[in-house]
Amino acid sequence: MALEIIQQHKVHGGTLSYVRHASQATGTPMRFSVFIPGEAKGPHPYAIWLSGLTCTEDNFTTKAGAYGHAAQAGLAIVAPDTSPRGEGVADDPAYDLGQGAGFYVDATQPPWAPHFSMETYVTADLLSAVEDGFPLDPARRGIFGHSMGGHGALTLALRHPELFRTVSAFAPIASPTRCPWGRKAFAAYLGPNETAWAEHDAVLLIAQGRARGRSILVDQGGADNFLAEQLKPDLLEAAAKEGGADLTLRMQDGYDHSYFFISSFIGDHVAWHAARL
């Protein structure tokens, strides 16, 4: 399947496209949205946004209010779906496992392994698709995300530093090996060997020095219902001190886990990436 433009809209002087393509990693069609700023031909610097549990390529696009900021900064933004979907793709009745909850890892366990290869999808198939189909600069690429997608942004940037020059996150699942969401997903996708889980835990990777000297911006709402049990930003801060990461952790008093929180600070994150790309 070649790139198929499903919808296209003009927004803030740029072009927003919804795209479907075939993924070798997942063995399914996958969807993403891509915003290209202005009328310039490019190639443009760009950032990949990874969304959280239950989301698709549309949540960020319609709720984050990012494209006015991106247009001013000259930054393109790509937002993929959060998992493979469709007939024959494994799923679970719970919101935090299966379709809509890929956790940006490559599953090794049944019934997930045939399709749930979201790390390879984001770092290979998606990059190839967007850079072949749109005027984007592979030398100026960043990544950011929210919640499960914040976990994905941090871990993929740390595991593939050659691919992503910049990284930031909103309310990331900082240490999935130490929270219910992460432990449930990792047990299902990666199996019982927790040594394999550690390679997908941002806190553990940062403590090992995998982000040494690297700048990371994290915003966290102080009124987030998931703060203590699932997100644990204090562990991220401690790991940054241990591993020599240049972490800017901003606790935003009164803000929750929603896109109202994201839309309040998305301009700062767009500017963060644009200045460094």
Side-chain angles (χ1 to χ4, degrees):
M1 181 189 296
L3 296 187
E4 177 188 358
I5 305 296
I6 302 167
Q7 299 178 43
Q8 204 162 60
H9 308 277
K10 187 162 186 176
V11 56
H12 291 288
T15 302
L16 174 66
S17 303
Y18 287 86
V19 184
R20 181 166 49 218
H21 72 118
S23 166
Q24 184 175 354
T26 68
T28 67
M30 294 291 292
R31 293 170 59 121
F32 62 86
S33 59
V34 55
F35 171 74
I36 303 296
E39 304 296 335
K41 293 182 178 180
H44 302 279
Y46 77 104
I48 293 174
W49 171 269
L50 302 182
S51 290
L53 291 166
T54 76
C55 290
T56 70
E57 75 287 347
D58 197 40
N59 293 76
F60 174 86
T61 299
T62 57
K63 296 179 180 179
Y67 297 136
H69 301 288
Q72 290 184 339
L75 185 74
I77 300 180
V78 172
D81 200 351
T82 55
S83 78
R85 301 178 192 269
E87 187 176 350
V89 176
D91 200 9
D92 189 275
Y95 76 95
D96 54 356
L97 190 67
Q99 296 186 36
F103 266 83
Y104 306 102
V105 300
D106 287 351
T108 60
Q109 305 299 305
W112 314 104
H115 300 294
F116 279 73
S117 295
M118 287 302 294
E119 178 171 11
T120 297
Y121 172 70
V122 172
T123 59
D125 292 7
L126 178 66
L127 300 188
S128 177
V130 298
E131 290 167 9
D132 287 348
F134 297 90
L136 303 176
D137 186 351
R140 293 185 294 162
R141 184 196 301 126
I143 191 166
F144 60 156
H146 170 235
S147 193
M148 177 185 73
H151 141 75
L154 292 173
T155 57
L156 295 186
L158 295 171
R159 286 169 55 79
H160 304 275
E162 74 285 359
L163 295 181
F164 304 107
R165 285 179 51 185
T166 56
V167 59
S168 71
F170 288 83
I173 302 173
S175 189
T177 63
R178 284 176 276 189
C179 76
W181 278 340
R183 292 189 64 83
K184 177 180 179 179
F186 284 5
Y189 297 145
L190 302 176
N193 182 1
E194 297 192 19
T195 301
W197 302 6
E199 271 296 306
H200 304 279
D201 185 306
V203 164
L204 298 179
L205 295 176
I206 290 171
Q208 293 169 11
R210 303 271 283 269
R212 189 173 301 278
R214 185 159 195 176
S215 296
I216 302 170
L217 172 64
V218 173
D219 273 303
Q220 172 63 62
D224 192 318
N225 289 339
F226 304 113
L227 180 61
E229 184 180 25
Q230 304 282 14
L231 305 177
K232 304 181 185 293
D234 54 315
L235 297 180
L236 199 62
E237 195 164 37
K241 292 177 181 178
E242 181 180 350
D246 179 17
L247 173 69
T248 300
L249 174 62
R250 307 192 308 183
M251 296 299 298
Q252 304 292 0
D253 187 45
Y255 286 87
D256 58 21
H257 199 67
S258 72
Y259 267 88
F260 297 111
F261 161 56
I262 295 170
S263 66
S264 299
F265 301 101
I266 193 67
D268 292 349
H269 285 248
V270 168
W272 169 277
H273 289 276
R276 289 159 177 79
L277 295 173

